[in-house]
Amino acid sequence: MEDELRCPTCKQLYANPVLLPCFHALCLGCALDIQTPYSPGSALPGAVNGAGGASSVGHNGLHGNGGGAGGGAAAPGTNPNGPGTRHSSHSSAASTASSNTGSESVTSDQDQSDKVSIFSEADSGVVCCSNTSRPVSYAGTGLLPGVGNVVAPPGAAYCLTCPLCRKLVFFDDGGVRNLPTYRAMEAIVDRFCAREALRCQMCETDPKVASLICEQCEIRYCDACRELTHPARGPLAKHTLVKPRGAAQQRESVCGEHEETLSQYCLSCKAPACGLCIGELRHQAHDVQSINVTCKAQKTELSHNLQQLSEKARSTTEFIQRLKGMSDKVTESCMEFERLVHAQCEALIQAIHDRREYLLEAIRMDKDTKIRILKDQQSNCTGKLQQTTGLIQFCIEALKETDSAAFLQVGSMLINRVTNTDMTWHQEVTNAAPRVSPIVDLTLDDAALARAIDNLNFIQMRAVKDGDERCPAAPMTPTILPSDCSAENNSVTVAWQPPNHSFVEGYVLELDDGSGGEFREVYCGKETICTVDGLHFNSMYNARVKAFNSAGEGEYSELIGLQTAEVAWFTFDPVLSGGAGSGLIFSKNNATVSVEGWEHRVALGSVGFSRGVHYWEFTIDNYTADTDPAFGVARIDVARNKMLGKDEKSFAMYIDRQRSWFQHNSIHERRVEGGITTGSTIGVLLDLERHTLSFLVNEMPQGSVAFRDLYGVFYPAVSINRGVTLTMHTAMDAPKMDYF
């Protein structure tokens, strides 16, 4: 409560508090200090305009709109319970005189409410005080320069800006002394000071109750310390010593005009009045009520509001105690969690040790098997060599035989044995190779495990049951890994890192259309890397990813831009071309194609185009038969056992040694002279910006535009038969064509 009792200007307990029309309070001395003389046309302090101006930062006491006290706690070393006399000598003297004599206008029995200026909800936050009981007229007054629509009333001599709400208050010649005394605040401060016995600030141990306060030193003294440290001689003789504030005195408010007890309360004027005031013209037709009844009603309402606020404060106190009690639970839970994490890590380490022993044992077994096989092969070769050596030695001895009849008896048999041995030697020994490799042809694939260890982290668990402290939560944002993302040809690869401390059931990857358009979902699953194929060339794709679980979806990650290739690099695709049963023969990394049969077979490229300008060429590696290879584009479902252009799914130019034709849906037209031989080149220009298809032979246009109005996805295609071999060249810049 002490903060509510401090003046927003001097930061001390209120001394002779006065009430501003905005229901903020000031010490009388502070009000005197900050009021300024006013003359028409003079510069004014800044004020908040209109009823909708800024509200006060902190309202003081039990008035206004509530809130903390302006100024806060006193600085260390100051007098927290002092009388609050840190003003100029003028204001201090005025405050002291007002407190001692009680004859000043601030503490007089005049009608304080009539001395407050008129305060309208529709004005510009400007209020005015007058020492008459009649309102000052606003008619004919002009706007003040530099203060918006603030209007100064006639006869204004002083003005003051509230230090809290910045509203401007005007006064007549009486100045701030016309403000009413804030009696409730004064009584509360007196009671507070009585409860908080002011102690001497000079006692070294066991401070005694202070008997005097020096207004200049702002230090409290007991009698002994005053005699010792603040004698009434020398320069200190001029200091003013006052007694600490005593208990609040019971006072009865009286009317300032009629000196009658204030017994009525005007609900229209919202001001107390005596019986004589009620009979005057100014209160005619106003709702009037007994001041005690009004006071009781407002106290009842305030008590009710306080009860509600106290209930909220009580529940907040219980919540704070609950938070404090959870500290032990947090410590206990973390210790248990540390034990579980330690046990889990030890189990993983043990599993790795067990797996290591298993792998090492597999290596040892492989070593033993290979050594055994090599020894068996060595033994077999040694036995074969011994048998062969024995046969050779026997034959040498037989050749030494001089008796022809005796030699011829075994000669044919020896010839057959040596021949057979030589043949089996060629098969079993000469072309023989080690049955096993001496090099271990295995490797340990630990990349996935290393990645899993890197991603080993905590995840948020879902609530076990209703009322559990742990609540389900949507996962946090994944982090895209730029170093692992790439773009190649017309495909992009996006990789991301799972969010920390989040339970994730899956991810959603989205791409825009490559032109900054709307995003669309391209992947939904548990993997943290995805490759998207079939995109447009020469396009910048933006990618984003989010995680989800049963509690909901998390936020999207930051965008990453991936640029596809400006020109397409591709080859023939054996699978799209019909697979192993197509009869096509692919070589040179699927860049060259040929066929054995006489029937035409269609070979498709590995990419499809739906946007952009693309150009590729074919080199005629072999052309020995009088056949008609066809070049062009086709849809994915083209007939693969017909010449290109024979169905509605393909657009082609077929050509022989002398001329060419354009063909689509079995309709061929526009014969163009000029054919091909071995070494010729055929260029195909697919312009999907103009939706046209054109051909070039040996770098010269073959006729005009072959086909127009091509929309959709098209694959590079050729059809060939026996005697033709082609090589496709891609990633080429499109030639400039000037015949469109």
Side-chain angles (χ1 to χ4, degrees), residues 577-636:
S577 302
S582 66
L584 296 168
I585 302 173
F586 297 97
S587 59
K588 297 181 180 179
N589 295 324
N590 296 330
T592 300
V593 63
S594 61
V595 67
E596 292 293 337
W598 290 102
E599 297 295 330
H600 277 266
R601 292 291 182 265
V602 174
L604 294 179
S606 57
V607 298
F609 304 108
S610 61
R611 188 168 66 184
V613 180
H614 308 281
Y615 178 74
W616 60 95
E617 289 183 349
F618 298 94
T619 299
I620 310 300
D621 299 327
N622 183 32
Y623 186 69
T624 58
D626 191 12
T627 59
D628 305 319
F631 307 86
V633 296
R635 302 192 188 274
I636 191 68

Side-chain angles (χ1 to χ4, degrees), residues 1-6 13-14 80-82 185-198 245-248:
M1 184 180 74
E2 185 175 348
D3 290 340
E4 297 283 338
L5 307 181
R6 294 186 179 276
L13 295 179
Y14 284 106
N81 298 319
M185 176 66 74
E186 190 174 29
I188 294 172
V189 171
D190 287 345
R191 289 196 298 271
F192 177 78
C193 292
R195 288 198 305 267
E196 303 292 332
L198 301 182
R245 190 172 305 180

Side-chain angles (χ1 to χ4, degrees), residues 370 373-374 377-378 381 429 431-438:
K370 287 186 175 182
I373 292 174
L374 291 174
Q377 189 175 10
Q378 178 184 354
C381 290
V429 180
N431 292 334
R435 297 177 184 175
V436 294
S437 171

Side-chain angles (χ1 to χ4, degrees), residues 420-441:
N420 291 335
T421 301
D422 181 60
M423 292 179 61
T424 57
W425 186 275
H426 175 74
Q427 295 175 356
E428 297 180 7
V429 180
T430 303
N431 292 334
R435 297 177 184 175
V436 294
S437 171
I439 306 301
V440 178
D441 52 358

Side-chain angles (χ1 to χ4, degrees), residues 32 87-99 104 177 215:
L32 289 170
H87 311 302
S88 65
S89 58
H90 167 72
S91 62
S92 298
S95 175
T96 305
S98 173
S99 177
E104 292 290 345
R177 298 183 186 278
E215 290 186 349

Side-chain angles (χ1 to χ4, degrees), residues 258-457:
H258 307 103
E259 296 185 359
E260 294 285 340
T261 302
L262 297 173
S263 60
Q264 302 295 322
Y265 187 80
C266 180
L267 299 177
S268 300
C269 299
K270 295 184 179 180
C274 66
L276 297 177
C277 292
I278 297 301
E280 293 181 353
L281 183 62
R282 56 177 164 160
H283 292 293
Q284 186 177 1
H286 287 188
D287 292 333
V288 179
Q289 195 175 41
S290 171
I291 194 170
N292 293 331
V293 173
T294 305
C295 181
K296 183 177 180 180
Q298 291 193 5
K299 285 185 176 181
T300 301
E301 183 181 359
L302 179 60
S303 298
H304 177 70
N305 294 339
L306 286 176
Q307 184 177 1
Q308 293 180 338
L309 184 60
S310 298
E311 182 64 25
K312 292 182 175 62
R314 184 188 62 80
S315 61
T316 303
T317 302
E318 293 177 354
F319 180 68
I320 292 173
Q321 295 299 326
R322 179 184 172 193
L323 293 178
K324 291 180 179 179
M326 289 180 66
S327 298
D328 295 338
K329 187 174 181 180
V330 168
T331 302
E332 180 182 350
S333 175
C334 288
M335 291 179 63
E336 176 64 18
F337 192 36
E338 287 179 4
R339 187 188 64 80
L340 291 176
V341 170
H342 180 75
Q344 287 179 302
C345 291
E346 289 296 329
L348 292 176
I349 293 173
Q350 184 60 43
I352 292 177
H353 285 315
D354 294 342
R355 192 64 181 176
R356 181 185 63 183
E357 294 301 322
Y358 170 80
L359 295 175
L360 294 178
E361 180 62 24
I363 294 174
R364 287 191 289 267
M365 293 177 62
D366 185 64
K367 180 192 69 173
D368 295 341
T369 300
K370 287 186 175 182
I371 291 176
R372 183 175 63 254
I373 292 174
L374 291 174
K375 286 184 176 180
D376 291 342
Q377 189 175 10
Q378 178 184 354
S379 177
N380 292 335
C381 290
T382 301
K384 183 66 175 178
L385 180 60
Q386 290 176 349
Q387 293 177 2
T388 304
T389 302
L391 177 60
I392 292 173
Q393 291 176 350
F394 180 78
C395 290
I396 291 174
E397 293 298 327
L399 290 173
K400 295 178 180 179
E401 179 61 47
T402 57
D403 186 353
S404 299
F407 178 79
L408 292 175
Q409 187 179 11
V410 296
S412 298
M413 179 271 295
L414 291 177
I415 292 173
N416 290 334
R417 285 188 62 187
V418 171
T419 302
N420 291 335
T421 301
D422 181 60
M423 292 179 61
T424 57
W425 186 275
H426 175 74
Q427 295 175 356
E428 297 180 7
V429 180
T430 303
N431 292 334
R435 297 177 184 175
V436 294
S437 171
I439 306 301
V440 178
D441 52 358
L442 300 174
T443 184
L444 183 61
D445 183 13
D446 61 346
L449 181 59
R451 186 163 53 250
I453 292 175
D454 290 339
N455 292 331
L456 183 63
N457 211 328

